[in-house]
Amino acid sequence: MKDKIQQEWNMITQNGDKKSVQALIFAIFILFVYCYFGSYSFFEKTFGFVENVEYYKIIYHNCMSFLLFFCLGLLFTKFIMREKLTNVGLGLGNKKFGGIIILIATFVIPIITLSVLLDADMINTYPLVDLSANNLWWQWVLYFASYILYYIGWEYLFRGILLFGLKDRCGILITILITTLISALIHTSIAGFGKPMIETLSAIFAGIIFAFITYRSNSIYYSLYLHALVGICTDIYIFFLA
């Protein structure tokens, strides 16, 4: 067994394909930290004395995605993988294709997202912050700003490091399925961030679409725009219309 693992490792390193293994190791480690130390419950247990803890636990959770997935991810990409940031989706890539996607999504997503009003679980879950109780202008700005930070971290890990790290080794189809599987699982109660069933189901289809768009455009920015637009529209619709 040991010899077989050593042989496979030698084959990987000799082919210059270490980045796929590095990407997976980073994802495993950072998701472990995120699930246990980036959760709402961790913030409540650790900082339960903070006034308005129900509000700040969400801000904390969102910012931890940015800190762990994006900030540490940048350091990992630069100094461990030794990749140019444009090689992991941090460039405009195919601007023509990306521009078309943004144009279509800007009109289509707000319409599709109206469907959240038909699901009671979604209405009971979102917005994660009670916007009526936290209605000062800066509370809204902080909440939605942290939301954007959350999506930046999420997209960089799944559609940046993992997708571009695995596609040469595994092929794009397997890579899309792997990244979608992991992200969809985190949307369930398994990771302690239990989401409504319809959201987990949507995460499967969205994960495939976002990954394809990222691969086709060679950039995470377009899937980031789509992901953030879905989340923000969901909150706004439920808060104002439900």
Side-chain angles (χ1 to χ4, degrees), residues 163 171-181 207-208 211-212 215:
L163 188 141
I172 189 58
L173 177 59
I174 297 299
T175 297
I176 289 176
L177 293 177
I178 290 173
T179 56
T180 301
L181 169 65
I208 293 172
F212 172 77
Y215 174 71

Side-chain angles (χ1 to χ4, degrees), residues 8 16 40 49 96 115 133 137 146 154 158 176 187 198 212 218-219:
E8 185 172 347
Y40 316 135
F49 57 87
K96 182 178 179 180
S115 62
W137 69 267
S146 74
W154 192 270
F158 289 100
I176 289 176
H187 280 79
I198 190 64
F212 172 77
N218 201 37
S219 172

Side-chain angles (χ1 to χ4, degrees), residues 63-83:
C63 291
M64 284 298 284
S65 169
F66 180 76
L67 175 64
L68 296 173
F69 299 164
F70 184 73
C71 295
L72 293 186
L74 285 180
L75 295 175
F76 172 79
T77 303
K78 191 71 175 176
F79 298 108
I80 304 298
M81 294 181 72
R82 298 185 183 278
E83 282 282 348

Side-chain angles (χ1 to χ4, degrees), residues 193-235:
F193 308 117
K195 304 287 188 176
M197 183 181 69
I198 190 64
E199 183 178 352
T200 302
L201 183 62
S202 299
I204 297 173
F205 294 102
I208 293 172
I209 294 170
F210 293 165
F212 172 77
I213 290 172
T214 300
Y215 174 71
R216 180 69 174 78
S217 65
N218 201 37
S219 172
I220 70 167
Y221 293 133
Y222 310 111
S223 63
L224 170 60
Y225 176 77
L226 270 63
H227 204 166
L229 187 59
V230 169
I232 291 172
C233 284
T234 296
D235 274 10

Side-chain angles (χ1 to χ4, degrees), residues 74-115:
L74 285 180
L75 295 175
F76 172 79
T77 303
K78 191 71 175 176
F79 298 108
I80 304 298
M81 294 181 72
R82 298 185 183 278
E83 282 282 348
K84 293 181 180 179
L85 297 182
T86 52
N87 290 344
V88 287
L90 289 181
L92 293 178
N94 188 335
K95 291 181 283 188
K96 182 178 179 180
F97 175 78
I100 293 173
I101 290 297
I102 286 179
L103 183 63
I104 294 173
T106 301
F107 290 97
V108 173
I109 285 180
I111 296 174
I112 294 176
T113 312
L114 281 168
S115 62

